[in-house]
């Protein structure tokens, strides 16, 4: 069983383990196993290194212990409990928000698909509507909530309308969204400070906000800049260029570069944020993602038969355009969103955005006090 | 990639998913995938079921999404951060506590191995001493802390000495231990209510207490009963019969049965506690463990050459006794401790014992108030 164990030099070299931050050094003793005595004794000074069967002040593991089975144990727990993931989509009507979400999750998960009439009137103010689904894949269950924001950006006709009255002023557009995001943090915080807590706090916090940029080919609108500037510190924003099939390859590249420049000029930090890269490996992976952003996407949630196979695509006068596998940007987004950064999006939301909200909230008005609420606890 | 997805009937049938507790039903739509619309909309009543490409009110997934990659994402995170695990060993001197811990973790991890002289005097009162090691296996790093309690049970000569003065009264034996366990909860609680919190709170809470019962062949001592009765509600106790090679097979079976009966009569709940079984699958697995408890163990941390192979064993006048693979009880404990219940021990400690302490603490004296401590936060 010894074969299962290995000490990877790259792992210990590449990242900031908590014991390294605490000033504890890991000493490599053999290629197969390592162990280091670290004294945290309550009463005595640091003792000499442990007695050892191998020379060099450390000891070698004599057989397989099973520490790495923690992964399997965590897998079993996750399979049993499932997990929550909440995505918000923001952008004016007609940009294909619902279609893109359906494309990413290969099913009719969007609000519009969930029975909301496609011909509903565009609201005069920004509305927040959400719909949840439970999706299972490989035995893992995810409660996916799509938060839609109909009415966002729809009543603004002028990019420089910041001084115009309701409903033209941009803040009428981001304020209800910001309020919703903070309300979810507040809900979580209230559950967290309860004296009798739920074993598992329901997580309605927005883990990711897909911001849809119009494929104008020109530049970002003032509302785009203002929205992302204000909300990038309270939610993970992933900017996407919507309906990018309306642009030629050159136009798309040029527009992407312009948007990236404008985001940088305005100090807008989108996800994955540079400052939260854990280590060099993370940085290298995320740099590639950041370079490809904003993703220029085209959604397609209709199913067609092509050469006898079911495919997702868009049927145009020129034929069926197969989307998901061939569209690089969409693939990159699909990789990022469900396949590589789901857990990280949840962790950044919890460790950074929620913690920032919590600290601000506890600092004001003497903070929140624990509440004795025994009604629906499932401890 | 579709092959990766499956809906296991046994999973959804066997356990209490949070959405089931919330009254949400999962509807199976196909053998390969399932999806169910659940409305959590803020403003409108429950909408009709989602538009669907398959009949029956649900929709089929059109391709692989990647929800199950969350397991791989969690694995990567765990490999980077590592985890803490803290074991306390309690029992009077000479019962082989250090040896057993060394045997379980296949290395010299105990306090005595870490440079503490074997000939140190038995203290007159119970002392708490701990030593930590970082062990790596399969790329996963664990900071293992062994908390020893020298002096426990050593000054008691009479089982009915409850009224005798110090240091004979049993409460002088469990009180320092109970105090230590609560101090760790208090440390964690203080970190948790801080306004600026650490990204990862150092976990010094005792996840498991191995309680060593003397292989007398008679019955439990009064101190054993009192200790386990008092501490079983604040820590996960795993009772073990020490040095069980001093008993014949029949004596061992008889003693195990007697101990089990006494534990039951005294209402002592040891780990894994029946009330915390998650589902029928859990119950069935844990019932087998409970039936085999208390484990009758023999530790062996010396290495010998047997038929050209390195083995752990005990060298007696009758030859070398190979231990770890042949000893059923030890194997069961080794399976339970590092290989199957590590994560569960951590979760029961956090969700049950720590939560109980926290609720009590917040109820008394108006509770703890958030402290602004920015000194060593690594947010």
């Amino acid at each position: 069983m010894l074969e299962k164990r290995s000490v990877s030099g790259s792992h210990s070299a590449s990242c900031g383990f908590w014991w390294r931050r605490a000033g504890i050094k890991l000493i490599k003793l053999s290629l197969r196993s390592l162990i280091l005595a670290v004294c945290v004794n309550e009463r005595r000074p640091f003792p000499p290194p442990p007695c050892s069967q191998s020379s060099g002040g450390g000891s070698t593991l004599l057989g397989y212990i099973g520490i790495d089975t923690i992964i399997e144990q965590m897998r079993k727990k996750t399979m049993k409990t499932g997990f929550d993931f909440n995505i918000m989509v923001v952008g004016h009507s007609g940009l294909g928000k619902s279609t893109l979400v359906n494309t990413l999750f290969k099913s009719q998960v969007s609000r519009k698909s969930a029975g909301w009439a496609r011909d509903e009137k565009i609201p005069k103010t920004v509305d927040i509507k959400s719909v949840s689904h439970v999706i299972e894949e490989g035995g893992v269950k995810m409660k996916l909530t799509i938060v839609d924001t109909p009415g966002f950006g729809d009543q603004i006709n002028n990019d420089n309308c910041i001084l115009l009255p309701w409903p033209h002023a941009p803040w009428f557009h981001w304020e209800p969204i910001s309020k919703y995001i903070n309300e979810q943090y507040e809900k979580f915080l209230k559950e967290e400070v309860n004296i009798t807590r739920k074993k598992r706090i329901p997580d309605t916090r927005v883990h990711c906000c897909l911001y849809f940029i119009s494929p104008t080919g020109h530049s970002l609108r003032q509302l785009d800049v203002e929205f992302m500037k204000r909300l990038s510190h309270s939610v993970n924003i992933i900017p996407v260029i919507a309906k990018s099939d309306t642009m030629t390859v050159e136009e798309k590249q040029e527009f992407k570069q312009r948007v990236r420049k404008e985001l940088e000029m305005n100090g807008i930090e989108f996800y994955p944020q540079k400052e939260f890269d854990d280590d060099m490996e993370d940085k290298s992976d995320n740099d590639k993602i950041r370079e490809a952003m904003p993703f220029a996407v085209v959604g397609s949630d209709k199913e067609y038969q092509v050469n006898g196979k079911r495919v997702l695509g868009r049927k145009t006068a020129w034929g069926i355009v197969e989307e998901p596998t061939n569209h690089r940007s969409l693939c990159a987004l699909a990789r990022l969103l469900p396949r590589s950064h789901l857990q990280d999006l949840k962790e950044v939301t919890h460790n950074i955005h929620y913690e920032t909200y919590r600290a601000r909230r506890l600092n004001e008005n003497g903070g929140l006090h624990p509440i004795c609420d025994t009604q629906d606890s499932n401890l």
Side-chain angles (χ1 to χ4, degrees), chain A residues 299-335:
Chain A
S300 47
D301 59 355
K302 290 274 183 298
E303 196 191 1
Y304 299 97
Q305 290 280 341
V306 174
N307 300 331
K309 276 175 72 183
R310 291 195 319 169
V311 295
L312 287 173
R314 294 171 61 79
K315 194 172 187 178
T316 68
W318 292 269
I320 293 165
V321 187
E322 262 186 78
E323 281 303 331
T325 46
N326 299 326
H327 201 285
R328 276 180 62 193
S329 252
L330 187 68
C331 278
L333 182 59
R335 250 199 321 272

Side-chain angles (χ1 to χ4, degrees), chain A residues 29 142 180 192 228 239 247 250 260 270 279 326 345 379:
Chain A
L29 293 169
M142 168 173 81
Y180 176 86
E192 202 194 40
M228 288 193 268
M247 294 186 281
E250 292 74 26
R260 249 197 318 265
F270 52 83
D279 49 47
N326 299 326
L345 279 158
L379 240 187

Side-chain angles (χ1 to χ4, degrees), chain A residues 26-54:
Chain A
L26 269 178
I27 299 169
K28 280 192 205 164
L29 293 169
S30 82
L31 274 173
R32 289 195 142 174
S33 58
L34 71 128
I35 182 163
L36 162 77
V38 182
C39 182
V40 287
N41 196 273
E42 311 291 297
R43 318 268 161 102
R44 296 202 196 182
F46 206 109
C51 307
S52 169
Q53 285 158 345
S54 68

Side-chain angles (χ1 to χ4, degrees), chain A residues 71-141:
Chain A
I71 307 284
E72 175 59 16
Q73 295 174 40
M74 285 165 69
R75 187 190 67 81
K76 276 190 181 169
K77 292 266 175 193
T78 307
M79 303 270 275
K80 277 185 184 173
T81 53
F83 68 98
D84 300 294
F85 193 73
N86 312 314
I87 296 184
M88 178 181 258
V89 285
V90 182
H92 70 74
S93 58
L95 285 182
K97 299 190 293 293
S98 295
T99 313
L100 186 78
V101 168
N102 288 346
T103 311
L104 282 176
F105 293 96
K106 307 275 198 306
S107 40
Q108 303 290 324
V109 288
S110 72
R111 186 183 60 90
K112 282 188 181 165
S113 319
W116 302 96
R118 276 184 185 259
D119 54 357
E120 66 179 2
K121 278 188 185 163
I122 293 169
K124 287 202 169 164
T125 54
V126 178
D127 224 350
I128 308 283
K129 285 170 177 169
S130 64
V131 62
S132 299
H133 295 80
V134 176
I135 308 180
E136 180 177 340
E137 204 170 40
V140 182
K141 288 186 178 69

